[in-house]
Amino acid sequence: MIIREIQDFSLSRIADSGQCFRMNRLDSGAYSIIAFGKYLEAKPLGDGRFAFSCTEEDFDKIWTDYFDLSSDYRVLNTLVPPDDTFLLAAINYGRGMRILNQDSWEVMVSFIISQRKSIPAIKTAIETMCVHFGTQMVFEGKTYFSFPSAGHIAGLSCSDIGCCSLGYRDKYVTAAAQSVARGDIRFEDLMEADEAAAKAALKTLYGIGEKVANCILLFGLHKSNAFPEDTWIKRIVDAEYAGNFPKTLYDGHLGIIQQYIFYYARSREYQKCRST
DNA sequence: TGCCAGGCTTCAC
DNA sequence: GTGAAGCATGGC
């Protein structure tokens, strides 16, 4: 167990932001996170202090990068025009949000599954997949399952993964697994490639279109300027920006801007604003 | 019980 | 190139 003081860091907002699906609030007030085959519990202690159930070494080697703790998110405030009250409210509402640096393969599968599914349903499907096909592990007496590898999933049929409630997406998941296992898609190459080239490569995969490709770029490949446009974002862009969001103002930061908008758009706070 | 969900592919035209 | 239809299933 280690204690760290971290500014602009909200576990609850990250957990509810729809970018990760294996981070859950526990009765203790801590959050469990399963990533890169590791299990972590993180608990807010107040005054910007947090407890993490890991060693100093793991925190520095794994979790600092995972939570994107080296980035300063306050710079965004200087970019927003004062008359954009919607975005200012969204950023204020989502303060402490961060873009996690997750495992590329896990992000790819998670967002293939996400299409036309609610966030609770996505979490259920992913957890079921991990229980059936991941590796069982134990941390301080708690059993958890790692995310299954591409090689493992590539060897399964659609009927094999039928237990995971993937619906018509089962064939997309197996096809993606086979592409990754064969080496047709190499994440390390995509990280090096520019955003447009990486997106084009992702969209060659069966079941990956514009939106899912953008999610993989942003959440799985560290492309901070990717801007996934789902039904929520389109709704907001239509309602608040007359169908045309000023992307050029936020060059290099579109990913986190999109995330603030998504988080705020789904909130009761914004729904209440809209109804009055 | 019915509607909707962090969309994509297929098929007309 | 564009737009509509069809898609599986869970959660509220």
Side-chain angles (χ1 to χ4, degrees):
Chain A
M1 175 77 71
I2 64 167
I3 308 281
R4 289 291 170 99
E5 187 171 336
I6 307 168
Q7 299 304 316
D8 294 314
F9 182 60
S10 167
L11 289 164
S12 65
R13 287 172 185 165
I14 294 168
D16 294 336
S17 68
Q19 62 175 304
C20 58
F21 304 101
R22 302 198 75 198
M23 180 171 180
N24 295 298
R25 190 177 190 283
L26 306 173
D27 291 339
S28 64
Y31 288 80
S32 66
I33 299 122
I34 304 170
F36 298 107
K38 299 264 188 181
Y39 178 93
L40 178 75
E41 286 187 11
K43 186 174 186 180
L45 302 175
D47 297 327
R49 294 168 67 249
F50 298 86
F52 296 93
S53 66
C54 63
T55 62
E56 296 273 357
E57 185 184 1
D58 271 3
F59 190 83
D60 293 340
K61 262 175 60 182
I62 301 172
W63 302 111
T64 298
D65 183 57
Y66 179 79
F67 289 119
D68 199 28
L69 297 181
S70 304
S71 297
D72 180 4
Y73 285 70
R74 283 170 294 188
V75 65
L76 293 170
N77 286 318
T78 64
L79 303 176
V80 185
D83 61 342
D84 191 344
T85 54
F86 168 81
L87 192 52
L88 289 169
I91 291 175
N92 187 53
Y93 185 77
R95 193 162 303 285
M97 176 81 67
R98 285 173 179 270
I99 301 291
L100 301 179
N101 289 310
Q102 303 180 70
D103 175 70
S104 311
W105 160 243
E106 180 172 338
V107 168
M108 173 181 274
V109 175
S110 299
F111 282 95
I112 286 174
I113 291 173
S114 78
Q115 52 188 277
R116 280 179 65 83
K117 260 188 185 297
S118 64
I119 290 174
I122 299 165
K123 292 177 107 167
T124 300
I126 290 171
E127 207 52 41
T128 306
M129 183 177 256
C130 293
V131 169
H132 279 87
F133 306 114
T135 302
Q136 182 172 341
M137 305 172 99
V138 177
F139 175 81
E140 294 181 353
K142 294 178 183 174
T143 298
Y144 68 99
F145 295 85
S146 66
F147 194 84
S149 68
H152 190 170
I153 300 297
L156 302 173
S157 67
C158 287
S159 62
D160 290 332
I161 60 172
C163 56
C164 303
S165 305
L166 304 184
Y168 62 89
R169 309 163 195 78
D170 55 2
K171 53 190 180 293
Y172 301 159
V173 171
T174 53
Q178 287 159 11
S179 294
V180 172
R182 277 197 304 265
D184 299 345
I185 287 286
R186 291 165 47 86
F187 292 116
E188 53 270 37
D189 292 346
L190 298 185
M191 282 189 199
E192 294 299 318
D194 65 53
E195 188 185 314
K199 187 197 290 188
L202 290 169
K203 286 173 72 174
T204 63
L205 296 187
Y206 186 40
I208 296 184
E210 179 72 18
K211 190 269 172 179
V212 170
N214 272 309
C215 287
I216 299 168
L217 291 174
L218 179 60
F219 303 126
L221 292 169
H222 307 200
K223 306 291 185 192
S224 60
N225 214 38
F227 191 81
E229 295 184 63
D230 72 330
T231 50
W232 289 96
I233 299 292
K234 284 174 183 161
R235 228 174 278 165
I236 291 294
V237 171
D238 285 344
E240 304 288 345
Y241 299 92
N244 188 20
F245 184 74
K247 290 184 182 176
T248 52
L249 292 180
Y250 310 106
D251 192 37
H253 307 280
L254 278 170
I256 181 66
I257 291 288
Q258 174 277 156
Q259 201 58 20
Y260 283 128
I261 295 174
F262 178 78
Y263 183 71
Y264 186 49
R266 299 174 69 248
S267 70
R268 287 186 182 176
E269 181 96 359
Y270 176 67
Q271 310 291 344
K272 203 167 62 185
C273 263
R274 289 288 294 168
S275 61
T276 55

